[in-house]
Amino acid sequence: MDNEISKCLRDWGIDKIFIITVDNASSNNVTVKELAKIFTKWGTNFMYGEHLHVRCMAHIINLIVQYDLKVNGVSIEKVRKVVKYIRQSPARCKRFQECCEDFDINSKKSLCLDVSTRWNSTYLMLNRVFECENGLMSYVYHDIGLSHYLRFVEDEKGTVVGAFSSDDWDHVKKITNFL
């Protein structure tokens, strides 16, 4: 990989590199070390490459938040399953919109499902859920199929998710405020 990167840098006329910012993958450590050797050959390895490799702070923050979300994620998992359940069916989506309209909640935005590698997508999912709080609680209360689904659906560890409670709601609010 380092040879391809150095070729691209040469092709683009870039021969002075002060830092390289990448995530924490071990393959990046090797690549940066090899690039440091190439830059030394070019005579452009500033400070002997001591500060060449800078880890991406956004990636580090994402790892920290993802860890915390997993440790405290039972309630978030319930929200995720509720959102997934509603989004799986156009009829459920329509019924959810009707529940939102009953509370004068703008239902033009739909519920969004998060992506496990992006903590901010979990925030966006939870934030949207809170914008629709009354509509969602009405939906949860009236949809018997959802209650049944939550009693039997399992999380990624194989544990049954269980019913969505007011304690879960409070817990998710605290996590969302943290995010």
Side-chain angles (χ1 to χ4, degrees):
M1 187 161 39
D2 49 283
N3 287 326
E4 290 300 314
I5 292 171
S6 65
K7 182 183 178 307
C8 289
L9 292 172
R10 283 287 193 200
D11 290 348
W12 298 332
I14 300 171
D15 59 359
K16 295 177 183 168
I17 304 291
F18 186 69
I19 62 168
I20 298 173
T21 304
V22 292
D23 66 20
N24 296 336
S26 59
S27 60
N28 288 332
N29 296 338
V30 174
T31 300
V32 172
K33 283 180 185 175
E34 293 303 314
L35 283 170
K37 292 176 189 175
I38 292 169
F39 298 157
T40 298
K41 287 180 189 174
W42 292 356
T44 61
N45 197 357
F46 300 107
M47 301 165 77
Y48 308 104
E50 288 180 39
H51 304 289
L52 183 63
H53 189 184
V54 176
R55 280 147 177 82
C56 177
M57 186 56 80
H59 181 73
I60 292 168
I61 290 170
N62 184 47
L63 292 174
I64 293 166
V65 172
Q66 287 296 336
Y67 175 78
D68 188 55
L69 290 176
K70 282 184 183 175
V71 170
N72 299 304
V74 175
S75 298
I76 293 173
E77 185 63 25
K78 289 180 183 182
V79 169
R80 187 177 290 121
K81 295 298 184 187
V82 169
V83 169
K84 188 174 183 180
Y85 175 85
I86 293 171
R87 288 177 48 108
Q88 284 177 335
S89 160
R92 292 179 198 151
C93 288
K94 185 175 188 298
R95 178 65 187 123
F96 172 72
Q97 286 178 332
E98 291 167 356
C99 288
C100 288
E101 289 167 2
D102 289 345
F103 291 95
D104 292 325
I105 298 170
N106 178 3
S107 62
K108 295 202 190 277
K109 291 192 240 173
S110 62
L111 293 173
C112 59
L113 198 55
D114 64 342
V115 179
S116 63
T117 56
R118 297 188 155 201
W119 68 267
N120 60 326
S121 70
T122 302
Y123 169 76
L124 293 172
M125 176 184 72
L126 298 175
N127 193 51
R128 180 63 186 141
V129 163
F130 286 120
E131 289 175 2
C132 303
E133 179 177 355
N134 291 330
L136 185 67
M137 294 311 289
S138 174
Y139 185 92
V140 169
Y141 180 75
H142 289 99
D143 189 326
I144 296 166
L146 174 60
S147 300
H148 182 75
Y149 172 76
L150 291 175
R151 278 195 298 251
F152 295 102
V153 71
E154 296 177 351
D155 63 12
E156 55 193 41
K157 295 177 190 172
T159 307
V160 173
V161 174
F164 192 72
S165 69
S166 60
D167 287 341
D168 289 315
W169 196 253
D170 292 338
H171 193 219
V172 169
K173 280 183 183 179
K174 289 176 185 172
I175 292 170
T176 305
N177 286 334
F178 167 74
L179 293 176

